Amino acid sequence: MIDKKIKKSNERCALQEILSIIGGKWSMSIIYALFPGTRRFSELERLIPNINTRMLVKELKNMEANGIVSRKVFATVPPTVEYTLTTKGEKLEPIINELHKWGLEYVN
Amino acid sequence: MIDKKIKKSNERCALQEILSIIGGKWSMSIIYALFPGTRRFSELERLIPNINTRMLVKELKNMEANGIVSRKVFATVPPTVEYTLTTKGEKLEPIINELHKWGLEYVN
């Protein structure tokens, strides 16, 4: 009984940990924009309406730190920066798609 | 092409709308605690560690407004308040379970 309660409690903490990774205002939109494949910073900026440069930089930095995206810099002038989902990030695809379907059915 | 861009843009807005409903710090934990069935307010308070009464009231109010939970008050002394997931809320069960599995595999 106590074990079960601790397990339950850990499960909810896991959910909060997950939300801290993908629950930011823009994270899911960025992940969604990366599903088709690698994108340049400028492409992401164009693809995600209403996000500003500072926010996009900040979210991508968080996502990189959380192992959701990988970042590659090319020594061009000006430098080209590309972002790709890691395996951890890719595994979110079916879940975010399901969430999206839920939204289409139930939100408005 | 333009249609496709608009569609994409709407899809991302849908994701942000969804997040505004279930992306709060506690919403998923509350939904999770309601999966097995109806709970009293006091049960939810006990089941969700670290949440305070004011936050739980606020989140449940939001979730009720968003049609995720329904609220039933019984005229006992003191009043008993029970919360149940609506169909819209129940449909999140497989998604939150998948998200949870993802977390167990990839988050620490």
Side-chain angles (χ1 to χ4, degrees):
Chain A
M1 188 61 193
I2 290 172
D3 277 358
K4 208 175 165 187
K5 197 161 180 186
I6 291 170
K7 193 176 161 274
K8 279 278 166 196
S9 153
N10 283 343
E11 279 171 7
R12 271 184 300 280
C13 289
L15 281 176
Q16 278 167 34
E17 191 114 347
I18 293 166
L19 268 184
S20 74
I21 296 179
I22 58 158
K25 188 179 172 196
W26 301 101
S27 350
M28 275 208 214
S29 303
I30 298 170
I31 296 170
Y32 196 87
L34 287 170
F35 282 156
T38 300
R39 300 272 191 198
R40 290 181 186 189
F41 184 87
S42 55
E43 284 181 287
L44 287 175
E45 210 169 9
R46 206 172 44 239
L47 279 164
I48 301 163
N50 305 325
I51 197 165
N52 64 45
T53 309
R54 199 180 53 85
M55 278 308 297
L56 185 55
V57 168
K58 198 183 153 200
E59 293 268 3
L60 284 167
K61 217 168 253 178
N62 275 342
M63 290 164 74
E64 202 190 345
N66 286 319
I68 303 280
V69 299
S70 65
R71 180 174 177 269
K72 211 170 162 183
V73 185
F74 298 89
T76 52
V77 181
T80 309
V81 188
E82 280 185 359
Y83 293 88
T84 312
L85 288 178
T86 60
T87 307
K88 179 177 174 180
E90 276 171 357
K91 292 281 161 118
L92 287 168
E93 180 157 8
I95 304 171
I96 292 184
N97 283 339
E98 281 308 306
L99 209 50
H100 187 233
K101 266 192 243 165
W102 175 86
L104 291 179
E105 193 169 346
Y106 289 105
V107 181
N108 297 330
Chain B
M1 187 64 195
I2 290 171
D3 277 356
K4 207 174 166 188
K5 199 163 180 186
I6 291 170
K7 191 174 163 276
K8 278 278 167 198
S9 153
N10 284 344
E11 278 171 5
R12 271 183 302 280
C13 289
L15 281 175
Q16 278 167 34
E17 192 113 347
I18 294 165
L19 268 184
S20 74
I21 296 178
I22 58 157
K25 189 178 172 196
W26 301 101
S27 349
M28 277 209 215
S29 302
I30 297 170
I31 296 170
Y32 196 86
L34 287 170
F35 283 154
T38 300
R39 299 272 191 198
R40 289 180 186 191
F41 184 88
S42 54
E43 283 181 287
L44 287 175
E45 208 169 10
R46 208 172 44 241
L47 279 164
I48 302 163
N50 306 324
I51 197 165
N52 63 46
T53 309
R54 199 178 53 82
M55 279 307 298
L56 185 54
V57 168
K58 197 182 154 200
E59 293 267 3
L60 284 167
K61 216 168 256 180
N62 275 342
M63 289 163 75
E64 202 190 344
N66 287 319
I68 303 281
V69 300
S70 65
R71 180 174 178 270
K72 211 169 162 182
V73 186
F74 297 89
T76 53
V77 181
T80 310
V81 188
E82 280 185 358
Y83 293 89
T84 313
L85 288 178
T86 60
T87 308
K88 179 177 174 180
E90 275 172 358
K91 292 282 162 117
L92 287 168
E93 180 158 7
I95 305 172
I96 293 183
N97 283 338
E98 281 307 307
L99 209 51
H100 188 232
K101 266 193 242 162
W102 175 86
L104 290 179
E105 194 169 346
Y106 289 104
V107 181
N108 296 329

